Amino acid sequence: MTTAQNARALRSVSLLYFLFFGSHGALLPFIPLFFEARGLSATDISLLMVLLPISNLVIPPLWGILADSIGSRSKVLRFCLLMYSASVLALIPDQGFWGSLGVMVLFALFRSPVTALTDAVAHAQLGPAIERFGKIRLWGSVGFLACSRLYGYLYDNVEQSHAIGSVSLLI
């Protein structure tokens, strides 16, 4: 890979971090309020939200094994991003607790491996220049901050389903 191609690939990974963590900032701080507005109880919401940290422990290694077995982290990453985006769109219809639980299971299944897969792709692109990883990963924090501020405003000024639907565009 030429230096120009490597630089372009690293910019792409930086943009992916920005948009992926931006989607987190646009959605995760506000999703409990979204469920509350739909009439779910605090207990229901806590059961839905606990899926995310549990999935972060269990699911990424399974996707990593799949990526290694097919020999392509980027293909698995693209698939997970596509399905994560679709699961965000599936949040829009009001489906009650059980429907929301099903959507959140899919959401967790496809969202949880993205960080690890993106980190692996970034490390592969960096090669021996691993000291640059922090500068690339920083774009995720910038994306989270920018989108959480922007979406805080949007949730107050547009219909929630439109705001949530637009998160899928970030992904």
Side-chain angles (χ1 to χ4, degrees):
M1 182 178 292
T2 68
T3 304
Q5 289 173 321
N6 192 36
R8 188 172 29 257
L10 291 175
R11 281 192 302 272
S12 295
V13 172
S14 297
L15 179 61
L16 175 58
Y17 278 121
F18 180 89
L19 294 173
F20 175 68
F21 283 103
S23 74
H24 283 212
L27 189 60
L28 295 181
F30 307 104
I31 201 165
L33 300 172
F34 178 71
F35 287 138
E36 182 182 48
R38 293 204 162 165
L40 296 180
S41 70
T43 302
D44 291 343
I45 295 168
S46 65
L47 289 172
L48 295 174
M49 297 308 294
V50 77
L51 292 172
L52 301 179
I54 291 171
S55 70
N56 286 340
L57 293 172
V58 177
I59 295 173
L62 301 175
W63 282 104
I65 291 167
L66 176 64
D68 289 344
S69 70
I70 66 170
S72 179
R73 293 178 195 115
S74 60
K75 285 181 183 176
V76 173
L77 176 59
R78 284 187 211 115
F79 176 74
C80 287
L81 287 167
L82 177 67
M83 297 308 292
Y84 169 44
S85 180
S87 67
V88 168
L89 290 174
L91 286 170
I92 294 172
D94 188 351
Q95 304 170 53
F97 172 74
W98 293 106
S100 296
L101 179 65
V103 170
M104 288 301 287
V105 166
L106 293 175
F107 181 95
L109 176 67
F110 296 112
R111 183 202 59 86
S112 64
V114 173
T115 302
L117 290 169
T118 304
D119 289 348
V121 168
H123 280 245
Q125 292 296 321
L126 286 168
I130 197 66
E131 71 278 356
R132 294 175 50 204
F133 179 72
K135 290 180 182 177
I136 292 169
R137 191 70 148 59
L138 174 66
W139 285 104
S141 297
V142 172
F144 186 95
L145 174 66
C147 291
S148 62
R149 297 286 296 169
L150 172 66
Y151 276 79
Y153 172 80
L154 283 178
Y155 285 116
D156 285 341
N157 294 292
V158 300
E159 190 175 323
Q160 281 185 339
S161 61
H162 292 128
I164 286 182
S166 70
V167 171
S168 69
L169 297 174
L170 292 173
I171 303 165

